Amino acid sequence: MLEKKPKDMSQLEMISIEEFVPKDHMLRKINKAVDFDKIYDFVEELYCLDNGRPGVDPVVLFKMVLIQHLYGIPSLRKTAEEVKMNIAYRWFCGYLFNEQTPHFSTLSRNFKHRFNEEVVEKIFFWILSEINGAGYLSPEAVFIDGTHIKANANLKKAVKKAVPDAAKVYEEQLLKEINEDRENHGKKPFDSYKKPKEKEIMTSTTDPECGVFHKGEHKKCFAYTAQTACDKHGYIMDVTLNPGNVHDSVAFNGLYDRLKVNFQEMLYAVLDSGYKIPWVAKRLLDDGRIPVLPYKRPIGKKDFFRPYEYVLDEYYDCVICPNNQVLNYATTDREGYREYKSKGYICKNCPDKSKCTENAKGERTVTKHIWLDYMEQVEDIRHTIGMKKLYDKRKETIERVFADAKEKHSMRFTYFRGLSQVSKWVRLKFAAMNLKKYAVHLWDRGVHTLIYIFFDKYWLIAA
């Protein structure tokens, strides 16, 4: 039979907010996983104890931002509205039905002006320490990669600037080894000072700290790049932020410096081909760590001999070409490459000249880096049993982290501007993702323990 629902919504009811939140709700799992009172220790010095108006509880503010990142809510204004209307969010933040929730401007101002990068970093590592203490973190194998985040800047509002090329972090060490190599070959060493080259870049007038990103089929845009490291379970161990025009192999240094300090037990560094350069290989191997890198297709012209077909003879310090002719040492350049040159009068009659060189003099120049030994060690490691299997885990770990962050947690685009603000935003997002995974793992372990106890008692009674 047809029944019409009464529309009188002004009735009074005696209810408890606790009854409306399901027992297996994600926020219940998170609330049970960690003690949020620890946040007071991180922010205590940012508040005055005996002066000023009473502020909003900092734990509430962090829980609201945690809700934003957990559920992929795009802005703090929208988050404040959702907390006001959603019963589960109210329960998580500790507000009853008749209590006024914080205004979005309070939330925004605190995270922009009060809670600095240091506080956010402390919270990130506190959550990570809880995960490690529970035995879920595995820092032996670290998966590293970078992902781009579209900046809140328009390409139409940009100016071109000439800036000096940034010095490489290893430039001093490389120059020292280059000069030693040149002296060993009877060459004059380079001067330590080199005037930096200038390059022209596009700079946003609205967010000068972001950089232009353009790769493959991606649309050209201003962006930031987040260099991220995670373990085999997908727990994010650390992140650093850089402008979008910084290459992965350059941004790697900042992240690796932090990982060395915080995770000394790290043994394997699993990286993609973007990091396959001599400096990264040298740094990891010199630190006693194992770089796991993929095969990289040799760069060269089609139908020409590949670089690996020119074999270096270290004893005689020369290169043997595919036609068994000798290329003698000529010099070592500022980039660390030894140059080996052939004799034009020999090469001009070579039957394979068309596959070797298009030089008018008929000469061929082959370069070998002074850190070539490290790259050869990397190739040996790549062929070691178990390394391919370890590298294949990237799609289940770091690539899955980026996919989840962008699809489920709204990390494709940021409304914030400036490295500091975007860095806090990314770190809080990753902290929320870590906490979510940790809470689910703890919950599943508790459920499995209960099932085991139930069946254990059942068998005892049956016996």
Side-chain angles (χ1 to χ4, degrees):
M1 59 180 290
L2 178 66
E3 182 182 0
K4 292 185 177 180
K5 187 74 176 174
K7 296 181 180 179
D8 183 11
M9 304 303 290
S10 60
Q11 298 179 48
L12 293 177
E13 292 183 282
M14 294 290 290
I15 55 174
S16 168
I17 195 171
E18 185 76 20
E19 299 171 2
F20 288 88
V21 184
K23 297 298 180 185
D24 60 347
H25 195 279
M26 176 56 68
L27 294 178
R28 277 195 185 273
K29 297 175 185 179
I30 289 171
N31 202 52
K32 190 177 179 182
V34 293
D35 181 10
F36 284 98
D37 287 348
K38 182 72 176 176
I39 292 173
Y40 294 124
D41 299 337
F42 303 139
V43 301
E44 188 176 5
E45 60 184 20
L46 303 176
Y47 289 85
C48 184
L49 299 176
D50 57 1
N51 193 18
R53 295 193 316 169
V56 177
D57 190 337
V59 172
V60 171
L61 296 176
F62 273 99
K63 282 186 172 182
M64 288 178 72
V65 170
L66 192 63
I67 288 169
Q68 178 195 4
H69 293 302
L70 281 170
Y71 293 98
I73 303 172
S75 67
L76 291 174
R77 183 189 291 263
K78 183 68 175 174
T79 303
E81 292 176 6
E82 290 292 326
V83 169
K84 186 177 180 180
M85 300 298 294
N86 191 299
I87 295 175
Y89 296 172
R90 275 184 171 269
W91 173 88
F92 184 61
C93 295
Y95 284 92
L96 299 175
F97 289 116
N98 60 342
E99 287 185 291
Q100 183 68 33
T101 56
H103 192 263
F104 83 89
S105 61
T106 305
L107 195 62
S108 178
R109 185 165 183 82
N110 274 278
F111 275 92
K112 189 170 184 180
H113 300 288
R114 174 170 287 168
F115 303 138
N116 52 33
E117 281 188 87
E118 185 184 353
V119 172
V120 172
E121 194 169 302
K122 284 179 180 177
I123 290 171
F124 177 85
F125 283 110
W126 159 60
I127 293 171
L128 206 59
S129 68
E130 293 285 324
I131 295 166
N132 192 32
Y136 288 114
L137 196 66
S138 300
E140 293 81 18
V142 179
F143 299 83
I144 299 172
D145 203 355
T147 189
H148 286 84
I149 303 162
K150 192 174 183 298
N152 188 7
N154 194 324
L155 275 174
K156 294 180 181 179
K157 295 183 178 180
V159 293
K160 289 184 178 180
K161 284 185 179 180
V163 296
D165 212 349
K168 299 180 177 72
V169 294
Y170 56 89
E171 192 167 329
E172 187 177 336
Q173 183 180 351
L174 179 61
L175 182 62
K176 181 182 175 182
E177 295 192 30
I178 288 170
N179 285 337
E180 287 176 3
D181 187 73
R182 287 179 66 86
E183 287 173 356
N184 291 338
H185 286 94
K187 301 283 183 180
K188 184 181 176 181
F190 290 122
D191 295 332
S192 57
Y193 173 76
K194 184 182 76 169
K195 188 178 179 180
K197 295 178 182 178
E198 284 196 346
K199 62 178 182 180
E200 191 178 74
I201 62 168
M202 284 181 67
T203 305
S204 170
T205 55
T206 51
D207 186 0
E209 294 185 340
C210 63
V212 175
F213 166 67
H214 189 206
K215 180 182 178 183
E217 297 178 358
H218 293 278
K219 187 179 178 182
K220 189 177 180 181
C221 65
F222 282 115
Y224 289 96
T225 178
Q227 285 294 312
T228 312
C230 75
D231 74 342
K232 66 180 183 181
H233 301 300
Y235 285 111
I236 301 147
M237 297 165 65
D238 208 347
V239 61
T240 58
L241 211 74
N242 300 275
N245 54 4
V246 175
H247 193 266
D248 283 348
S249 61
V250 178
F252 165 80
N253 293 288
L255 178 62
Y256 180 66
D257 287 339
R258 294 170 60 90
L259 291 171
K260 274 178 64 176
V261 174
N262 297 320
F263 304 98
Q264 296 179 6
E265 58 270 56
M266 179 175 66
L267 180 59
Y268 298 96
V270 187
L271 311 109
D272 68 11
S273 59
Y275 300 88
K276 200 170 184 179
I277 62 169
W279 164 247
V280 173
K282 174 181 168 59
R283 190 164 187 204
L284 288 168
L285 289 166
D286 284 351
D287 289 342
R289 295 184 171 91
I290 301 171
V292 182
L293 290 149
Y295 169 78
K296 191 173 182 180
R297 186 172 61 83
I299 299 170
K301 293 182 179 179
K302 189 179 179 182
D303 298 327
F304 269 54
F305 290 126
R306 296 300 183 190
Y308 58 80
E309 295 183 77
Y310 295 86
V311 181
L312 177 65
D313 187 330
E314 293 183 8
Y315 185 80
Y316 291 105
D317 193 21
C318 65
V319 167
I320 311 298
C321 79
N323 208 29
N324 293 322
Q325 296 298 327
V326 175
L327 284 73
N328 295 310
Y329 173 84
T331 187
T332 305
D333 65 17
R334 276 190 174 271
E335 300 300 318
Y337 286 94
R338 296 191 188 107
E339 294 182 2
Y340 297 88
K341 292 187 177 181
S342 67
K343 302 288 192 299
Y345 64 87
I346 295 175
C347 293
K348 68 179 181 180
N349 297 319
C350 179
D352 295 323
K353 182 184 173 184
S354 61
K355 297 180 183 178
C356 184
T357 181
E358 293 176 340
N359 188 288
K361 295 180 181 180
E363 293 178 352
R364 166 72 184 190
T365 301
V366 174
T367 58
K368 301 287 183 182
H369 202 277
I370 59 172
W371 291 338
L372 178 65
D373 289 348
Y374 292 100
M375 297 302 288
E376 289 178 347
Q377 286 184 58
V378 166
E379 285 302 298
D380 290 341
I381 291 166
R382 184 171 70 84
H383 290 98
T384 304
I385 294 172
M387 294 301 103
K388 186 179 185 301
K389 188 176 180 181
L390 182 61
Y391 183 82
D392 287 344
K393 284 186 175 291
R394 281 176 49 82
K395 62 179 179 290
E396 306 165 14
T397 53
I398 191 69
E399 291 176 11
R400 177 66 181 268
V401 165
F402 292 152
D404 285 349
K406 293 186 176 185
E407 289 294 325
K408 300 177 182 177
H409 302 280
S410 299
M411 206 179 79
R412 292 189 183 278
F413 174 85
T414 179
Y415 287 101
F416 292 93
R417 289 173 178 159
L419 273 170
S420 177
Q421 293 297 324
V422 179
S423 182
K424 286 194 295 184
W425 178 78
V426 170
R427 197 172 285 277
L428 282 167
K429 196 172 290 292
F430 284 160
M433 290 172 65
N434 277 347
L435 189 53
K436 178 182 177 181
K437 186 184 287 287
Y438 175 52
V440 170
H441 281 169
L442 279 182
W443 181 270
D444 290 344
R445 186 167 70 177
V447 170
H448 292 153
T449 302
L450 288 172
I451 292 171
Y452 174 79
I453 292 170
F454 172 79
F455 278 105
D456 192 42
K457 287 184 177 180
Y458 174 80
W459 287 113
L460 283 172
I461 293 167

